[in-house]
Amino acid sequence: MSQERTPVLIVGGGPVGLALAGDLGWRGIASTLIEKTDGAIHQAKMDMIGIRSMEFCRRWGIVQWVESAGYNRDYIQDCAWVNSLNGFEFGREPFPSPRTEPAPPQSPQKRERCPQNFFDPVLRRFAQRSGLADLQYETELLDLSEHADGVLARVRDHRMGITRTMVASYLVGTDGGASTVRQHLGIPMEGPDALTYTTNVIFRCDGLERMHRMRPAYRYIFIGPEGTWATLVAINGRDQWRFSLVGGAEKRTYTHEELRTAIIRAVGREFEFEILSVLPWVRRQLVARSYQTRRVFLAGDAAHLTSPTGGFGMNTGLQDAVNLSWKLAARIAGWGGDHLLATYEIEQRPVGLRNVAEATENLRRMLNPRVQQPPPELLDDTPGGAQARAAFGDAYTEMMRREWFSIGIHLGYVYEGSPIIVPDATPAPPEEVSTYTQTARPGSRAPHAWLPDGRSTLDLFGQTFVLLRFGADAPSGAGLLEAAAQRNIPLTLHTIVDDEAARRYECRLILVRPDGQSAWRGNDEPGEPGGIMDTVRGAIA
């Protein structure tokens, strides 16, 4: 067997693995990614890039790639609840098209509609851009063994028909819910059994909007006498649609004819369409008991499985990738402390637990009509039926808003209690879902503020630690700069003279990590700058 060496071996070539390979390359670190399939996406498992993920894309310089990836950015993004597309509409939440939706005041970016069949090629291009990521498709992990100085992985190259041994300093499993890496580590997933058994159907129908009476929408939720039973999504904003037949907690297999009948019921009339693919899948609420050993890590669906209600799954995985990437880079470069990598699980697992639980609550709200069934006159074409539909629709619309407006989930994660965050004794911010109040409190995402030169403060972060000085008369930060230089920690100084930015950051000196999280803040020169730098680089147990 031939043998290869790589600093980081990434197992799994979905969006999280590709983002990790890309971010490592952006930081100057080589990696090898193996993916057991050819990488083609026949069923997009995600379709929304959250606002924090788009901030990462901005950092990487690939926002234009995302915007031009293929989704129709002029397609309206309303969400509507109906009994059928040629029946009654109960209510809707209006949203502008991706092209016209403005960025919120908390960010220079906005969420973006970009299903996985469009986003994976973007991330693959990003991973290849540095020339440091070796992407090997149709290559499968057979087994692994962890040692004090590295990881041995035996892989099967199905293209060449050979088995190879790979030697890596670190290995990251981004290989999905049935993760081979997690199974080899013996790490169990924790959480309830199946939430629902669902079957997705991608079908092609050009001009579907002309075949029904409803106003266009990105997502339709179908509610009948039995409650919520299906959804329909404009998966490319043109001629392809994803129909999801939402079952219950018992497994059920459908024939093509049954699926066609369900789609016709949803549309409310016979029409011509072509089924492109069918994917039965299970909604779950599971989080790995542990995210890591000393040299092997889990990220994305390998670490947490969530209902797609809310769009948190892949976006949580990208947070995993960015959190882990700078720490791996720091250790490989030699300035990261002995305890730095152990903070990956400490910081990211609580985020996974929070996001998975929120997604399940979103699912519960979506399926609420199964529990509190609609009134029997809901579908009557009478004044009483109209009154019942208005009352039901108003209540359902209000209940669903928490899912549609979730900026606090995407931006409000806090690494509370992390050993590489220097706390400042201020109280933790309140948990927010539909709103988000920016804060530079240590452990939080460093706030966005527009600078006089047109950049965002977020544009200053990513490659190195950053020390922000607010005001020309702010302390120099010389102690921190000297301590960083002594430890070979990359640290960049920026002096910002802008009242609005200073107001958002609250203190005159802010230390921001390479992932964009606030690590320390103060109004005066710190008394022990070396201790601060040792803390944030993971050198203190």
Side-chain angles (χ1 to χ4, degrees):
M1 291 188 296
S2 60
Q3 191 173 93
E4 301 174 23
R5 292 186 175 273
T6 183
V8 182
L9 175 59
I10 302 167
V11 180
V16 177
L18 290 168
L20 177 59
D23 194 71
L24 285 169
W26 184 71
R27 299 181 187 282
I29 302 299
S31 66
T32 299
L33 180 150
I34 62 172
E35 164 58 43
K36 64 182 179 181
T37 73
D38 62 2
I41 302 299
H42 303 289
Q43 281 265 359
K45 295 180 181 179
M46 51 73 56
D47 54 39
M48 191 270 287
I49 306 177
I51 188 169
R52 185 56 169 158
S53 298
M54 285 305 297
E55 290 178 353
F56 297 150
C57 291
R58 180 187 181 95
R59 177 186 301 173
W60 298 330
I62 64 171
V63 167
Q64 288 187 337
W65 298 0
V66 173
E67 293 176 348
S68 62
Y71 189 82
N72 179 5
R73 300 186 72 241
D74 294 312
Y75 201 85
I76 201 74
Q77 296 294 291
D78 289 9
C79 297
W81 10 107
V82 302
N83 74 313
S84 83
L85 296 186
N86 280 290
F88 297 110
E89 179 176 304
F90 307 128
R92 72 170 52 214
E93 193 70 55
F95 289 101
S97 69
R99 190 183 306 278
T100 60
E101 182 179 17
Q106 300 96 327
S107 178
Q109 292 298 142
K110 59 186 178 184
R111 60 190 175 184
E112 189 67 40
R113 191 66 68 189
C114 188
Q116 187 180 357
N117 54 311
F118 295 136
F119 193 40
D120 272 20
V122 168
L123 290 175
R124 184 172 179 173
R125 179 182 173 190
F126 167 53
Q128 293 172 323
R129 185 181 64 186
S130 70
L132 294 173
D134 180 11
L135 308 184
Q136 301 182 11
Y137 288 89
E138 296 185 52
T139 302
E140 183 176 6
L141 176 71
L142 300 179
D143 53 53
L144 65 90
S145 58
E146 183 176 359
H147 304 275
D149 58 351
V151 182
L152 292 178
R154 197 164 60 92
V155 305
R156 180 69 177 174
D157 184 334
H158 294 292
R159 288 180 175 176
M160 301 296 294
I162 60 174
T163 298
R164 309 193 307 267
T165 296
M166 305 191 74
V167 182
S169 299
Y170 303 99
L171 185 148
V172 185
T174 59
D175 49 342
S179 171
T180 301
V181 174
R182 191 184 66 240
Q183 292 177 29
H184 276 293
L185 295 178
I187 296 175
M189 297 290 270
E190 297 180 335
D193 292 334
L195 301 174
T196 72
Y197 285 89
T198 298
T199 300
N200 282 2
V201 182
I202 302 292
F203 69 89
R204 178 184 290 119
C205 178
D206 191 14
L208 178 63
E209 298 88 347
R210 298 189 296 272
M211 299 181 186
H212 63 78
R213 58 190 288 184
M214 299 300 165
R215 288 174 289 157
Y218 168 74
R219 183 187 306 273
Y220 296 99
I221 297 176
F222 297 95
I223 301 172
E226 71 273 47
T228 309
W229 65 277
T231 65
L232 182 67
V233 164
I235 199 63
N236 69 353
R238 293 182 175 85
D239 63 344
Q240 291 188 22
W241 305 83
R242 184 181 67 212
F243 176 77
S244 297
L245 188 56
V246 184
E250 294 185 0
K251 190 173 182 178
R252 167 88 192 273
T253 301
Y254 297 93
T255 66
H256 262 53
E257 189 56 39
E258 288 175 314
L259 293 171
R260 293 186 71 91
T261 299
I263 292 170
I264 290 170
R265 176 192 172 189
V267 175
R269 57 164 286 183
E270 294 280 348
F271 71 107
E272 293 296 322
F273 61 95
E274 176 189 5
I275 291 180
L276 301 178
S277 63
V278 176
L279 177 68
W281 59 283
V282 187
R283 295 176 195 259
R284 298 191 184 276
Q285 179 186 346
L286 298 173
V287 177
R289 180 177 296 173
S290 172
Y291 275 27
Q292 65 181 98
T293 60
R294 186 167 175 266
R295 290 186 175 272
V296 182
F297 306 85
L298 303 175
D301 284 358
H304 40 77
L305 283 170
T306 176
S307 169
T309 39
F312 305 139
M314 186 278 301
N315 293 292
T316 306
L318 258 61
Q319 292 174 18
D320 295 339
V322 171
N323 182 289
L324 181 58
S325 178
W326 78 267
K327 296 172 182 178
L328 289 170
R331 286 296 286 167
I332 292 169
W335 58 265
D338 291 342
H339 309 286
L340 181 61
L341 288 172
T343 67
Y344 168 63
E345 175 180 318
I346 293 170
E347 293 186 339
Q348 282 302 120
R349 190 169 185 272
V351 177
L353 288 166
R354 179 195 68 157
N355 293 1
V356 165
E358 181 68 22
T360 299
E361 283 302 299
N362 286 339
L363 174 65
R364 181 189 62 78
R365 285 183 281 271
M366 187 184 84
L367 299 182
N368 180 263
R370 292 184 178 183
V371 179
Q372 298 181 355
Q373 290 194 337
E377 64 272 20
L378 188 72
L379 302 182
D380 292 348
D381 193 7
T382 64
Q387 186 176 7
R389 286 188 290 278
F392 173 81
D394 288 348
Y396 193 76
T397 299
E398 183 61 33
M399 181 173 57
M400 291 297 292
R401 285 203 170 112
R402 183 173 171 120
E403 176 176 345
W404 313 136
F405 301 96
S406 56
I407 189 172
I409 295 292
H410 290 275
L411 298 184
Y413 59 98
V414 181
Y415 298 143
E416 195 72 18
S418 169
I420 58 170
I421 296 293
V422 183
D424 66 354
T426 57
E431 289 275 350
E432 295 179 287
V433 174
S434 298
T435 59
Y436 177 62
T437 303
Q438 296 196 94
T439 175
R441 181 179 179 270
S444 301
R445 160 190 168 274
H448 153 68
W450 290 114
L451 300 175
D453 61 5
R455 291 182 297 171
S456 165
T457 49
L458 272 57
D459 297 332
L460 307 178
F461 311 142
Q463 294 264 338
T464 70
F465 274 88
V466 170
L467 181 61
L468 299 178
R469 295 177 65 242
F470 286 95
D473 61 344
S476 68
L480 291 169
L481 292 167
E482 182 180 356
Q486 292 171 348
R487 293 157 175 79
N488 294 317
I489 302 172
L491 175 59
T492 305
L493 176 67
H494 291 282
T495 299
I496 298 174
V497 182
D498 183 86
D499 291 342
E500 177 59 24
R503 185 188 65 79
R504 293 189 184 180
Y505 275 81
E506 302 174 293
C507 292
R508 296 194 296 170
L509 289 177
I510 310 285
L511 183 64
V512 181
R513 305 186 333 183
D515 59 354
Q517 301 295 116
S518 173
W520 169 88
R521 67 177 176 176
N523 284 311
D524 303 303
E525 294 279 3
E528 297 183 8
I532 291 173
M533 298 312 299
D534 280 338
T535 296
V536 299
R537 73 185 182 98
I540 298 177

